[in-house]
Amino acid sequence: MLSTHKLLINLNEAQTAAVTTDAQHSLVLAGAGSGKTRVLVYRIAWLLAAEGISPYAILAVTFTNKAAAEMRNRVTELLDKPARGMWIGTFHSIALRLLTMHHKEAGLPKNFQILDSEDQYRLIRRVISDLELDEKQWVPRTVQGFINGKKNEGIRANEIDDFGDDNSSTLIKIYQQYDDHCNRGGLIDFAEMLLSTHQLLLNNPPLLEHYQGRFGAILVDEFQDTNEIQSAFIRLLAGAKNRVMVVGDDDQSIYAWRGAKIDHIIGFKDLYSDVKQYKLEQNYRSTNTILKAANAVIKNNAKRLGKELWSKQIEGDLIHYYGAYSEYDEAAFVAEEVENIIDSGVDGDNIALLYRSNMQSRLLEEHLLKHNIPYKVYGGLRFFERMEIKDVLAYVRLINNRHDDVGFERIINTPTRGLGAKTINQIRNFAQINSVSLFAASIKLIENKVLANRAATSLAGFVNMIDDFDHNHDKEQLHPLFDDVIERTGLRDHYQKEPPEKALTRLENLDELLNAAETFVKPEEDDQIGMTALASFLAQVSLEAGERSSDKDVPCVQLMTLHSAKGLEFPYVFLVGLEQGLFPHQNSMDDPEKLQEERRLCYVGITRAEQKLFMTYATSRRIRGRTQGCAPSKFLQEIPNKLVDQLQGNVFNIPRNSMFDNSNSSQFSHYKPGVAVSHKIFGEGVVLELSGQGDYTQIMVEFSQHGTKILAAKFAKLEVL
Ligand code: ATP
Ligand code: MG
């Protein structure tokens, strides 16, 4: 039996009060790192150990599946025994579980399929085209947002008022037809998962009664990010008797775009009776410097409940800013710093690289690779681990080295060329007996005429094709070789034939691989030892693909988007790409509400760091094939100068109020951001920003030789190139 004392010694006074509350409903509203998740975990242990509640009666909702697993472990640790029977998961995983168990009642086929966001998008496009509507007018992404928005609010197509106007009645028609498609095909999208589950319970009183009877204690982490339907789901399960505890932080609400409403956390007291509210104000996670920076940024948001955190921790290191010349410079800086940190004896998994958009991971990956630093990308496969990429690389590896049996096995029948298991076994056996490679075995078997006719012809075709690639391509020119491989092996066609939603991503990835081949520069060291560009490229890739480090226990640097970093903490954090238009995101620049959400996201990012925080930006970046000048993110200027050590560049040098003012219509407006210019002394550069008015107009230019300068437009006499 656990002593409840052991539980409580690890909590402060406010946390203890929340954990041991006797109120039926409780709300913990507190800032980042103040121990909200800890309170939730201890509350579960408390309910089991001190109040004797059965694990079966616990339903805990977390933000990620990883967090769910962690929560389970923590409870087990605290209790010294596994607490089987608890339901801990995300809203989606819990919904999916209910739908799977009760698919009949939910009107779903047994093997219903989940539509991810890309699948959904393609289906919506199809519906739009079936209805003979113009995609320019009915933009699929917008329609997708509309449908999901309605689902998140719990509203079906037939429940929307169309007010008799064409626009809404068409949207309703698309929504309805899309749902019909899903119903016929047994398909279910993410928003639908929650909506269907809610309806499942609502329409089946015995089922609802069963679950209401079961889950006596319901706990929800990150409550600030619940949307209408999630909030209704909890309310439904809570019924009149069950106990509900929710924890959250209004400053960390980052899912408004998915229908989350801060109002739910504020309105919690109105929806439930007997609510006690608890405040936690001590932060245990971060140094004072990091905490002050976070407070300084979030303070610029108008709509806040308002709370300040304090910490007993040391002041700690200053926050490092790095203004890179380009995205390459940025990634190189990050990889180098990461290496330094690891060299100082820190395990890689203590380091997180956080970015606004998924696509930013690619260059970071490339540079980590160069330094041989193991890493893991969350929410997406590492680039070179994707199936289509591995397929192409298997061919290229075989071209480079006929003894590469792993490559051979992978593609001998991909795309299918009629070589069945029997032939492949013959090849394997022959290779083993004679201790030769699979490729060499194939040649021998053809020569010896021991294979069935069709198999022999097909295998010969394969062998000749590989030899042919080898003879016809210069090993220093990767792009033509890769291009030829993708086409001639039939891989492009092969992927084109996949369902459209998958095919597009795969083809995009193949193009990205071609990009990588084209821009690859052989390192000097490899050149000196006589490696071909091809061999050098493959060496780098296989280091990365992890075949050498099959050891799963290697600590990996953690790469993820800011959104998926919520709730996590790391001793070392790099926030990258802090540029106007990237973070804050382009879509939010003119919308105060959205800008505030971006700022909350920045607050989330900063408060992930325990000891050391790096914030980087690039003054030029290639976006969608064009190199553009970029201005540093305004969030960087919101952190007081005295908390910052700027390693390169200087965001504080830039006039604060003018820097982001793009509304310049003076005689200098032809110096648009992104325009190439030339200066008598500084040479060539790119305009980053225009600020000020009339004669006082200033131009910020990134010069290739002299870095960033701010010049008075009137005197600079810049020549547009
Ligand atoms: P977020 O808002 O980022 O989700 P949170 O409020 O959930 O943060 P936790 O993750 O629960 O905060 O706690 C932050 C860190 O502080 C954790 O490492 C936790 O173990 C530690 N911590 C919390 N309370 C205490 C305490 N009373 N004593 C020691 N450490 C604590
Ligand atoms: Mg938390």
Side-chain angles (χ1 to χ4, degrees):
M1 182 63 198
L2 166 108
S3 87
T4 47
H5 174 71
K6 183 182 150 200
L7 268 179
L8 301 180
I9 50 169
N10 295 317
L11 300 172
N12 67 30
E13 209 174 305
Q15 292 171 333
T16 304
V19 165
T20 61
T21 184
D22 52 13
Q24 186 187 353
H25 302 128
S26 43
L27 162 67
V28 180
L29 188 56
S34 60
K36 295 182 298 299
T37 303
R38 188 184 183 97
V39 162
L40 216 66
V41 171
Y42 277 69
R43 173 73 177 162
I44 296 174
W46 174 265
L47 288 170
L48 299 176
E51 302 203 6
I53 286 182
S54 153
Y56 282 92
I58 305 276
L59 174 68
V61 184
T62 58
F63 175 66
T64 58
N65 292 316
K66 189 167 169 255
E70 255 173 51
M71 195 170 274
R72 192 178 293 279
N73 288 340
R74 296 276 297 281
V75 173
T76 304
E77 251 169 55
L78 284 173
L79 296 177
D80 280 337
K81 63 169 190 214
R84 291 203 185 83
M86 289 188 292
W87 275 29
I88 305 184
T90 61
F91 275 109
H92 284 105
S93 73
I94 289 165
L96 195 57
R97 183 186 273 201
L98 286 167
L99 290 177
T100 310
M101 286 166 62
H102 307 288
H103 65 91
K104 272 205 199 103
E105 294 90 327
L108 287 166
K110 188 156 186 278
N111 299 322
F112 65 87
Q113 287 211 357
I114 298 165
L115 283 185
D116 66 20
S117 158
E118 258 337 275
D119 301 337
Q120 182 188 37
Y121 171 75
R122 311 224 173 260
L123 182 50
I124 289 171
R125 281 188 72 179
R126 207 167 95 202
V127 171
I128 292 173
S129 119
D130 286 351
L131 288 170
E132 297 184 345
L133 295 167
D134 184 358
E135 269 196 16
K136 286 201 196 73
Q137 192 182 353
W138 307 98
V139 181
R141 288 268 176 232
T142 315
V143 176
Q144 184 178 24
F146 170 81
I147 294 177
N148 289 338
K150 290 296 172 199
K151 288 192 180 193
N152 287 334
E153 288 177 58
I155 302 171
R156 293 248 174 246
N158 59 11
E159 294 163 343
I160 309 172
D161 289 329
D162 73 359
F163 304 112
D165 79 277
D166 265 5
N167 188 48
S168 13
S169 63
T170 305
L171 282 172
I172 295 168
K173 199 155 52 176
I174 304 175
Y175 181 2
Q176 186 62 59
Q177 190 130 334
Y178 164 78
D179 258 3
D180 292 345
H181 259 284
C182 290
N183 291 336
R184 275 200 303 275
L187 306 169
I188 189 159
D189 62 58
F190 282 111
E192 183 62 43
M193 247 182 244
L194 302 170
L195 183 51
S196 286
T197 308
H198 186 250
Q199 283 184 342
L200 167 72
L201 294 176
L202 206 57
N203 299 336
N204 289 275
L207 208 61
L208 177 60
E209 216 171 289
H210 168 76
Y211 284 108
Q212 280 180 340
R214 171 173 177 174
F215 295 125
I218 300 169
L219 305 100
V220 188
D221 199 359
E222 309 276 3
F223 194 70
Q224 75 279 358
D225 280 325
T226 49
N227 63 30
E228 205 69 44
I229 193 76
Q230 293 166 337
S231 162
F233 173 69
I234 295 295
R235 184 75 199 92
L236 194 60
L237 278 178
K241 295 207 245 5
N242 297 327
R243 308 175 70 175
V244 180
M245 171 180 270
V246 302
V247 312
D249 175 5
D250 58 304
D251 286 334
Q252 294 185 68
S253 170
I254 52 176
Y255 281 95
W257 53 278
R258 229 161 58 179
K261 290 209 178 96
I262 302 183
D263 302 350
H264 289 135
I265 202 159
I266 299 169
F268 185 76
K269 284 198 208 137
D270 307 327
L271 263 180
Y272 294 80
S273 58
D274 185 22
V275 176
K276 261 201 195 144
Q277 183 172 335
Y278 299 90
K279 267 195 201 167
L280 313 174
E281 285 168 330
Q282 180 174 357
N283 172 295
Y284 288 89
R285 180 180 293 148
S286 313
T287 64
N288 252 309
T289 300
I290 292 168
L291 205 56
K292 280 183 199 160
N295 284 337
V297 169
I298 198 67
K299 154 174 121 222
N300 294 288
N301 267 9
K303 228 172 130 186
R304 296 181 67 208
L305 297 176
K307 49 189 152 23
E308 288 265 326
L309 289 168
W310 62 276
S311 159
K312 278 190 195 161
Q313 297 225 33
I314 52 163
E315 286 306 307
D317 286 345
L318 293 175
I319 295 164
H320 292 305
Y321 280 10
Y322 183 83
Y325 298 117
S326 65
E327 69 270 41
Y328 296 98
D329 182 22
E330 180 186 49
F333 167 77
V334 170
E336 239 161 70
E337 284 300 320
V338 167
E339 184 165 47
N340 290 340
I341 296 168
I342 292 175
D343 285 349
S344 76
V346 174
D347 277 345
D349 53 356
N350 290 312
I351 306 169
L353 315 187
L354 309 180
Y355 35 82
R356 179 68 183 83
S357 308
N358 262 314
M359 51 114 182
Q360 286 171 263
S361 82
R362 174 122 189 271
L363 269 185
L364 294 169
E365 289 185 58
E366 217 172 276
H367 282 83
L368 289 172
L369 262 184
K370 275 195 196 143
H371 289 256
N372 280 332
I373 299 170
Y375 66 88
K376 182 170 163 63
V377 181
Y378 288 84
L381 280 178
R382 306 195 302 181
F383 184 73
F384 289 108
E385 274 175 5
R386 289 162 192 159
M387 178 166 87
E388 57 280 15
I389 301 302
K390 291 190 85 165
D391 285 347
V392 178
L393 291 177
Y395 276 100
V396 179
R397 277 172 22 195
L398 205 55
I399 295 164
N400 186 52
N401 167 17
R402 302 293 193 284
H403 301 302
D404 192 328
D405 285 352
V406 178
F408 184 98
E409 289 257 10
R410 186 174 180 96
I411 40 91
I412 179 62
N413 203 29
T414 302
T416 41
R417 50 177 68 87
L419 292 171
K422 190 173 154 236
T423 316
I424 294 172
N425 269 335
Q426 270 178 295
I427 301 173
R428 278 197 203 112
N429 285 340
F430 186 91
Q432 198 172 8
I433 294 166
N434 298 290
S435 299
V436 292
S437 68
L438 295 170
F439 196 88
S442 302
I443 295 173
K444 275 280 171 238
L445 286 172
I446 297 165
E447 280 174 10
N448 297 352
K449 298 196 170 21
V450 290
L451 296 172
N453 260 347
R454 257 192 66 200
T457 315
S458 175
L459 191 59
F462 174 75
V463 165
N464 290 336
M465 177 171 68
I466 299 292
D467 285 341
D468 209 46
F469 282 133
D470 191 7
H471 298 142
N472 288 325
H473 284 285
D474 177 354
K475 302 301 174 307
E476 300 301 323
Q477 301 285 330
L478 300 187
H479 186 275
L481 170 65
F482 278 60
D483 197 26
D484 197 16
V485 167
I486 291 171
E487 298 302 330
R488 203 138 53 97
T489 57
L491 277 177
R492 190 182 287 279
D493 284 347
H494 171 67
Y495 285 121
Q496 196 115 42
K497 284 193 206 112
E498 291 209 348
E501 58 273 18
K502 290 267 182 300
L504 187 80
T505 341
R506 297 216 197 276
L507 296 181
E508 274 171 9
N509 286 335
L510 290 182
D511 287 341
E512 187 133 341
L513 179 63
L514 287 175
N515 270 341
E518 182 153 30
T519 53
F520 177 73
V521 179
K522 181 166 47 167
E524 236 176 69
E525 306 89 286
D526 286 357
D527 199 42
Q528 279 164 6
I529 57 171
M531 269 170 109
T532 62
L534 178 62
S536 167
F537 182 86
L538 288 172
Q540 284 200 15
V541 168
S542 57
L543 270 178
E544 124 79 351
E547 284 176 11
R548 276 211 218 149
S549 61
S550 53
D551 185 2
K552 286 231 163 48
D553 298 330
V554 177
C556 292
V557 174
Q558 316 273 302
L559 273 71
M560 67 191 86
T561 62
L562 285 153
H563 277 98
S564 40
K566 199 172 62 157
L568 306 179
E569 55 190 18
F570 309 90
Y572 298 83
V573 170
F574 291 79
L575 301 184
V576 304
L578 276 140
E579 292 140 38
Q580 292 292 92
L582 191 57
F583 187 32
H585 196 270
Q586 190 63 41
N587 301 341
S588 65
M589 305 276 285
D590 309 322
D591 180 336
E593 290 288 327
K594 287 186 180 163
L595 186 62
Q596 295 201 31
E597 175 143 327
E598 293 289 302
R599 191 176 279 110
R600 290 193 292 268
L601 194 55
C602 184
Y603 175 77
V604 167
I606 295 172
T607 55
R608 296 312 95 199
E610 296 172 12
Q611 296 167 22
K612 222 166 167 165
L613 176 64
F614 294 80
M615 297 173 87
T616 66
Y617 58 94
T619 48
S620 84
R621 182 180 297 272
R622 207 173 159 78
I623 295 173
R624 268 166 251 110
R626 270 192 54 220
T627 303
Q628 297 170 5
C630 323
S633 167
K634 66 192 297 171
F635 302 147
L636 290 170
Q637 283 203 326
E638 293 175 357
I639 296 176
N641 199 343
K642 61 176 192 292
L643 301 177
V644 174
D645 173 16
Q646 176 120 26
L647 303 172
Q648 179 170 295
N650 191 349
V651 297
F652 299 105
N653 249 351
I654 302 162
R656 194 182 162 90
N657 291 323
S658 55
M659 173 174 166
F660 308 107
D661 179 11
N662 277 331
S663 60
N664 197 299
S665 59
S666 69
Q667 68 265 40
F668 303 114
S669 56
H670 54 285
Y671 297 129
K672 288 191 186 56
V675 164
V677 291
S678 161
H679 183 270
K680 258 217 282 249
I681 298 167
F682 301 130
E684 292 185 4
V686 176
V687 176
L688 298 183
E689 280 284 344
L690 225 57
S691 58
Q693 293 294 322
D695 280 356
Y696 301 101
T697 302
Q698 293 185 315
I699 305 179
M700 179 165 42
V701 183
E702 167 80 24
F703 290 102
S704 18
Q705 302 293 325
H706 292 86
T708 307
K709 304 267 180 242
I710 296 174
L711 308 167
K714 194 172 167 191
F715 305 110
K717 304 232 165 57
L718 290 168
E719 191 189 331
V720 174
L721 296 175

